[in-house]
Amino acid sequence: MITWHDTEAQNMMNTFGPTQALLVRGSGAHVTDIDGRTYLDFLGGIAVNSLGHAHPAVVAAVSEQAGRLMHVSNFFSSLPQLALAEKIKQLAGTGESGRVFFTNSGTEANEAAFKLARLHGGTARPRILALEQAFHGRSMGALALTAKAAYRDPFGPMLTGVEHIPATIEALGEALDDTVSALIIEPIQGEAGVVPLPEGYLSAARELTRSHGVLLIVDDIQTGVGRTGEWFGFQSAGIMPDAFTLAKGLGGGFPVGALITTGAASELLKPGNHGTTFGGNPLATAVALAVLNEIETADLLTNVREREAQIRAEIAALNSPLISGIRGSGLLLGIALTQPIAADLAREALATGLIINPPNPDTLRIAPPLNITSADVTEFTTLLGSVLAAHA
């Protein structure tokens, strides 16, 4: 008997290790596999499914736009694209100078940001700063910005000029000079184990980069679109970067990303500098606009903050000796473990019907939909508690 595992092995490239389940449908925070087993999805496609699975607003946007206009190329514009750009600018507070370049993914958005830094710096400012433990994607430019050796080493040499510095204000102050074109940072380093920037870092980075004529680029791909309880991660510090990138939750499961520029950075990219075949097509932008409108209309930012408080309280009540704390903000949280057993716990959680993720050996990451209910949270902490108790 040929199983789906056999079919996968015979036809698909294995770039992510063994696939854990073949999912066939979903609803809200739950998904069902081909054998009829249902899971509570508290990973959300790694912070992508901001409205959960099969949300009516997303389904309607896909259906309506697919029947109207799906692709037009960059020679033309479309109403959803323009409306989405205006909406992002309004929510971010970029003002009139804000400009948007749509992409298909986060790594592609960071590739555009990389080119923005090169245009800004030219040959006089060849250095680009990123942080130790950073993750900015896996294409070659974005990979140069990414710090993890396991992702980089098979593909060297990297693009030149990128330096990774410690995430401290002191290290930033020492590294900045008139040879640096840009600093790119994540408000919370998700792949590093959901590690927030140190208190005051974003504000200090804004002041220091401005004083040195260096672009501040915020990678808000995992933290943006309401994930942290703010529309965008940099808003927690009350700053405005020169540029920021979005993807993941922007499309609620549909592939779409964006580079947004402000101020003088909006004048850097000229006609012919950059392009994309599918970026910003009417279907993707219509879905993303529906996602943003639903988050706003349903006041999901408030729900994110309330569910975060509930998660923290219910995990604390588990009083598990395997948990040492919780990092992160909103519904991007890292459950810190006292032992390097994250992979084992994630595997055992899946067996009980709970999807979570181990970004490193001693952290469990959760990034559920922004519209999860109080009952969803209690189901999560009940399942997690049973896994922890069985492992203790």
Side-chain angles (χ1 to χ4, degrees):
M1 175 183 176
I2 297 176
T3 68
W4 69 264
H5 291 285
D6 300 325
T7 303
E8 181 181 65
Q10 291 165 7
N11 296 285
M12 302 293 292
M13 290 188 188
N14 181 5
T15 60
F16 229 77
T19 303
Q20 301 175 75
L22 195 163
L23 304 177
V24 294
R25 62 180 179 275
S27 177
H30 294 82
V31 290
T32 303
D33 70 15
I34 195 169
D35 299 316
R37 186 168 188 205
T38 296
Y39 306 83
L40 178 64
D41 183 3
F42 255 49
L43 185 58
I46 312 182
V48 167
N49 298 318
S50 45
L51 299 181
H53 298 276
H55 191 283
V58 173
V59 174
V62 170
S63 302
E64 291 171 12
Q65 190 59 44
R68 188 178 298 137
L69 188 68
M70 193 179 297
H71 182 72
V72 295
S73 87
N74 295 141
F75 290 116
F76 306 96
S77 191
S78 68
L79 291 173
Q81 182 183 83
L82 299 181
L84 179 61
E86 285 187 326
K87 189 70 178 179
I88 292 173
K89 286 178 57 179
Q90 174 224 321
L91 296 173
T94 65
E96 290 296 319
S97 71
R99 295 290 184 272
V100 181
F101 175 80
F102 288 113
T103 67
N104 306 294
S105 67
T107 194
E108 198 185 342
N110 282 340
E111 288 287 335
F114 199 118
K115 293 177 75 173
L116 193 77
R118 287 286 198 241
L119 285 173
H120 174 66
T123 55
R125 290 175 174 264
R127 299 168 62 210
I128 299 175
L129 303 181
L131 298 183
E132 293 177 352
Q133 301 192 82
F135 180 84
H136 297 291
R138 298 172 190 259
S139 55
M140 289 306 295
L143 189 61
L145 299 169
T146 292
K148 193 171 182 177
Y151 296 157
R152 294 163 54 93
D153 288 352
F155 303 103
M158 295 288 106
L159 295 183
T160 60
V162 177
E163 299 172 25
H164 292 94
I165 61 174
T168 67
I169 297 171
E170 292 75 18
L172 177 59
E174 292 173 4
L176 284 174
D177 60 25
D178 60 5
T179 67
V180 177
S181 61
L183 166 71
I184 181 167
I185 52 178
E186 304 159 273
I188 298 174
Q189 294 181 317
E191 286 293 310
V194 193
V195 179
L197 289 173
E199 185 72 26
Y201 188 95
L202 270 170
S203 298
R206 177 65 287 183
E207 292 180 13
L208 287 167
T209 52
R210 182 176 287 127
S211 68
H212 284 277
V214 170
L215 292 184
L216 175 61
I217 301 171
V218 173
D219 179 340
D220 234 330
I221 288 167
Q222 191 160 160
T223 48
V225 195
R227 173 61 54 188
T228 66
E230 305 276 356
W231 276 107
F232 307 103
F234 59 82
Q235 290 175 326
S236 64
I239 66 159
M240 179 59 67
D242 298 296
F244 61 99
T245 52
L246 300 175
K248 286 192 177 289
L250 181 60
F254 201 96
V256 57
L259 166 69
I260 299 92
T261 55
T262 65
S266 293
E267 305 301 320
L268 289 170
L269 281 167
K270 307 293 186 188
N273 281 154
H274 199 45
T276 173
T277 294
F278 296 108
N281 78 51
L283 187 56
T285 49
V287 174
L289 184 62
V291 169
L292 294 181
N293 285 337
E294 177 64 20
I295 293 173
E296 186 174 49
T297 302
D299 192 18
L300 293 185
L301 300 189
T302 298
N303 190 61
V304 168
R305 292 189 284 268
E306 291 177 349
R307 299 288 76 78
E308 176 194 3
Q310 182 186 355
I311 290 169
R312 288 180 178 275
E314 293 191 10
I315 287 180
L318 294 176
N319 198 29
S320 171
L322 295 177
I323 295 178
S324 61
I326 301 176
R327 297 188 294 264
S329 182
L331 293 178
L332 178 61
L333 297 175
I335 303 168
L337 304 171
T338 56
Q339 302 175 28
I341 54 173
D344 291 339
L345 291 180
R347 187 167 48 251
E348 291 159 17
L350 186 68
T352 70
L354 172 63
I355 298 175
I356 51 179
N357 166 252
N360 64 25
D362 57 8
T363 308
L364 295 172
R365 174 173 51 182
I366 60 170
L370 309 188
N371 56 355
I372 54 167
T373 65
S374 176
D376 291 331
V377 170
T378 299
E379 181 182 356
F380 159 68
T381 50
T382 300
L383 289 170
L384 179 64
S386 68
V387 171
L388 294 169
H391 198 92

